[in-house]
Amino acid sequence: METQKFVVTAVGKNRLEILNRIASLYLQRNIPVESFILSKDRDGNSRYKICAQAPESSIIKIVNQINNIVDISKVDYSI
Amino acid sequence: MIRKKVRGTEALLLSLIAEGTDTIFGYPGGTIMPFYDDLYHYSDQINHILVRHEQGAVHAAEGYARSTGKAGVCIATAGPGATNFVTGIADAMLDSTPLICITAQVNADKLGTNFFQEADTIGITLPITKWSYQITGADEIPQVMAKAFYIARSGRPGPVVISVAKNAQVETTDFAYDQAELLKDLVSKDKRAAADGASEEEIARAASAINAAERPLIIAGQGVTISGAENELAELARRGNIPVATTLLGISCIPSADPLYVGKVGMHGNIAPNKMTQEADLIIAAGMRFSDRVTGETHGYAPKARIIHIEIDRAEVNKNIRADLPLIGDAKNILARLNRAGIESRPREEWFGFARKEAEAEYERIIAPELSGGGKRIRMGQVIDRITKAACDEAIIVTDVGQNQMFAARYARFKNKRSWITSGGLGTMGFGLPAAIGAKTGNPDRNVVAILGDGGFQMNIQELGTVMQSGIGVKIVLLNNTYLGMVRQWQELFFGKRYSFTHLDNPDFQQILAAYRIPARKVTDPQELEEAVSWLFSTDGPAFLEAAVLEEENVFPMIPAGATLDDIIYDKYDK
């Protein structure tokens, strides 16, 4: 399947558990992650930004599953 | 409700009670002792069932949850107690079962030191929980418990692990429980999600599609049961005169005798609904996730149909199978709105005629030979048929995994909802006995029957001790064929009958049951089956019936792995 570099950005509370859960979603699918940044934004929320090479269909599924994580308020992806 | 300074463990108990918990399944240990000490004074408010292995506790909590609709609560000590929960937690995650799993943990300041019985419970269970939390101070308890119950029960239910450090158990806190305040953030996120769900326009489009369809098929899954949408489902089917099939986990969301019910889809399902899936021009999928067990090879699934997918979890829509008309939301709500959107009926004589013809063919070719008497050995389907008749289709049936499960799915019949409990997504052997214990605990006035194979029975056989000590009146039926049946079937059909490590050298189960002081009988002659089943139900309290069944029986029909729904195998010569 055709893979491309996608950046997924999720916003939520600052909890290491969330970082772990997001990482697991990539680990489960054996997707190579190039960078994973957890940072604080101006509103005091945390931003989880993952850059990885994968088919778009997998990224869409991952985005939907990240949305189910408790204490994530929004998530989206881009190229 | 504000009390003056309670210990952390009492705060836990008060939180459980505030959430409506009256039953917990558990096993004590060193690190959870403070909790058990306080539990001692609450025995009039909370019924604690002592199991024999923590896996028994978590499966019992699952059986309790699925049969009552309430969250199941189980409790274990730190380290191995918590890790013994893992299989059950994974099972609850895959089958969307609301569970609160409370595990003890070492003192907060000892975390990460490889202290005695320390295991990273949160780390281990992250991928198999909806949410989890490590409580390190008693003040956190009310907020965390309120959040845990809300998350476990809301939306698509699932298991939550709460790990309670020992210091949090013993330190004191001011206990106050105001759910509205504690859940503010979660509730507002869910309200936003609900607002994003199916619009009136989408409902109207779906209703039009239903009215335009000539060969529609409803496939109902566990989501209908979880949502309590049984009446709405039946109403939609009636309004549109639409046949209804269920997935494995959707069984009993519609009465088996309903004239619109055409059977079960899936790998060992009925012929009619599987063939109807391939011929349908519209599929209304309600509360099901298009598991690979249902679809076969996805490229060949439902080639002629548009698909309406009613589903609360957005992540399941367009995951395995296309959703031409997704309707995101709670099944009860969506089905009710569809019912109000002007559903029209059509006679559909040819469509129902097709269903009937396939059902008759299946009956003649597969079912009748399996159920008829006359053979020298008992067939598994006969046992299920006898049980279900003797219980007047009103029993709660709990199964283990394998051939016992598939025969039970094919032959058990149901009048009532929430009467079928089985491990579907994870397919956990050893589930049946403890889950039946949980189901009976939650439904003391109903007959609860565990259908087990000799493999799965032995995986949690120690729970006979739970039955003995608690006196729970569960009826246990063992289909003993001395094999790991389903694997043996595959070895017979696809591996040249090379029975590699699937034959089980079994002990004399009757002696084991006698040692556990549970009334037990063994039946080998098909002529004696009816009387033996009658004995099972007329015996007061727990009872065990072992049926020595035909060893190399196979479950048909079958859609093997790698095949599409067009390639149904009817018997072992049919490959």
Side-chain angles (χ1 to χ4, degrees), chain B residues 547-569:
Chain B
V549 298
L550 181 66
E551 283 82 18
E552 289 176 62
E553 184 167 17
N554 291 322
V555 192
F556 288 111
M558 178 180 190
I559 299 167
T564 67
L565 297 192
D566 293 318
D567 307 316
I568 305 176
I569 295 181

Side-chain angles (χ1 to χ4, degrees), chain A residues 13 15 17 20-21 61 64 67-72, chain B residues 126 129-133 147 151 185 189 313 315 319:
Chain A
K13 292 210 176 125
R15 305 206 31 224
E17 172 215 348
N20 232 306
R21 283 177 183 271
K61 288 175 188 169
N64 284 332
N67 202 29
N68 279 342
I69 296 175
V70 175
D71 294 328
I72 286 286
Chain B
L126 270 179
T129 48
K130 236 186 127 176
W131 186 64
S132 53
Y133 194 86
K147 198 165 168 177
I151 292 168
D185 284 336
K189 178 182 176 185
D313 182 355
K319 185 189 82 176

Side-chain angles (χ1 to χ4, degrees), chain B residues 469-487:
Chain B
Q469 182 163 8
S470 63
I472 287 167
V474 64
K475 306 296 179 192
I476 308 165
V477 175
L478 174 64
L479 302 175
N480 186 356
N481 61 3
T482 75
Y483 276 104
L484 191 56
M486 188 55 86
V487 181

Side-chain angles (χ1 to χ4, degrees), chain B residues 291-303:
Chain B
S291 150
D292 61 282
R293 304 284 112 169
V294 160
T295 63
E297 280 301 304
T298 51
H299 63 78
Y301 183 77

Side-chain angles (χ1 to χ4, degrees), chain B residues 453-464:
Chain B
D454 43 302
F457 174 48
Q458 292 185 82
M459 286 209 178
N460 271 313
I461 195 169
Q462 78 283 344
E463 296 310 312
L464 289 176

